[in-house]
Amino acid sequence: MHGIIFSQLRKYVETKQGSRAWSTLLNHAQLENRAYLCVSEYPDVEMEALVSAAARVSGQPATVVLEDFGVFLALPLMNMYKHLIPGDWKTLDVIEKTEETIHHVVRVQTPGAKPPVLQTIRRSEDEVVLNYGSSRKLCALAIGIARGVAKRFNENIEVTQTKCMHNGAPYCEIVFRKGWKF
């Protein structure tokens, strides 16, 4: 997994729990004294260990931790790739076109990078179906990122996961609908 994700996880943990929380989390994950550089790749098992440790420490399920981290991660990712996001796009446009824009660039610029494979179907102006495929099975992170993108655009979205790899499906199917503000 790319080091930028680890770097952002550290910022997330420190924002939520304070400056000492990262070293505590590393200890709980049995990764004491581990440093993560933004430009390097790291074993997926280390992210799994950190998320599991965060779940244990917080008393929250790993899916809740991942989704909350995804909300946090969305803004830095959007800032990093803002040159690829046209000014007229909104939340559902970003979800629909991430694979052909952002993930394409990631794969070209970072040989060996393995972002999830995303396939989308735009059912209407107000609905996108996302098929998420990755051996990492981080669909909760993808949902959180989508929620963070919506937050960035000051939009509400409704999320329904109809299939999940954690339940034996070959991919996760997540339906995103424009929500309404009251």
Side-chain angles (χ1 to χ4, degrees):
M1 183 166 288
H2 201 276
I4 193 73
I5 304 300
F6 287 91
S7 171
Q8 289 300 316
L9 181 63
R10 179 180 182 159
K11 288 179 184 177
Y12 165 76
V13 168
E14 290 176 346
T15 298
K16 292 283 185 175
Q17 302 293 327
S19 61
R20 295 185 180 162
W22 181 247
S23 60
T24 300
L25 186 62
L26 288 173
N27 288 336
H28 281 278
Q30 299 180 346
L31 295 168
E32 298 87 355
N33 302 315
R34 182 67 152 131
Y36 296 99
L37 303 175
C38 291
V39 295
S40 297
E41 293 285 326
Y42 299 94
D44 291 351
V45 294
E46 292 185 21
M47 180 59 70
E48 292 168 14
L50 288 165
V51 170
S52 293
R56 283 192 311 276
V57 169
S58 70
Q60 298 286 328
T63 54
V64 171
V65 172
L66 281 169
E67 189 171 325
D68 193 50
F69 173 50
V71 172
F72 179 89
L73 181 60
L75 187 58
L77 290 177
M78 287 191 66
N79 287 337
M80 187 181 311
Y81 296 107
K82 66 183 171 190
H83 63 285
L84 300 173
I85 303 171
D88 62 339
W89 281 12
K90 296 293 184 190
T91 304
L92 296 182
D93 302 311
V94 173
I95 294 167
E96 177 187 12
K97 299 177 191 227
T98 291
E99 181 66 27
E100 67 192 55
T101 56
I102 297 168
H103 285 182
H104 173 75
V105 169
V106 168
R107 287 183 184 98
V108 168
Q109 290 182 345
T110 312
K114 297 177 221 133
V117 175
L118 308 177
Q119 296 176 331
T120 57
I121 301 165
R122 186 75 179 244
R123 287 187 180 161
S124 72
E125 181 182 325
D126 295 339
E127 182 176 280
V128 172
V129 178
L130 171 70
N131 292 333
Y132 166 99
S134 172
S135 60
R136 295 178 178 133
K137 299 182 181 180
L138 295 174
C139 49
L141 182 65
I143 290 169
I145 291 171
R147 290 189 190 281
V149 169
K151 186 176 177 181
R152 156 62 180 84
F153 286 116
N154 197 29
E155 295 182 313
N156 287 329
I157 57 170
E158 297 170 7
V159 180
T160 306
Q161 187 164 357
T162 55
K163 295 179 184 175
C164 186
M165 292 181 289
H166 293 283
N167 297 328
Y171 58 88
C172 296
E173 182 180 83
I174 308 162
V175 180
F176 298 96
R177 288 183 195 90
K178 240 186 228 185
W180 301 100
K181 286 205 166 195
F182 296 99

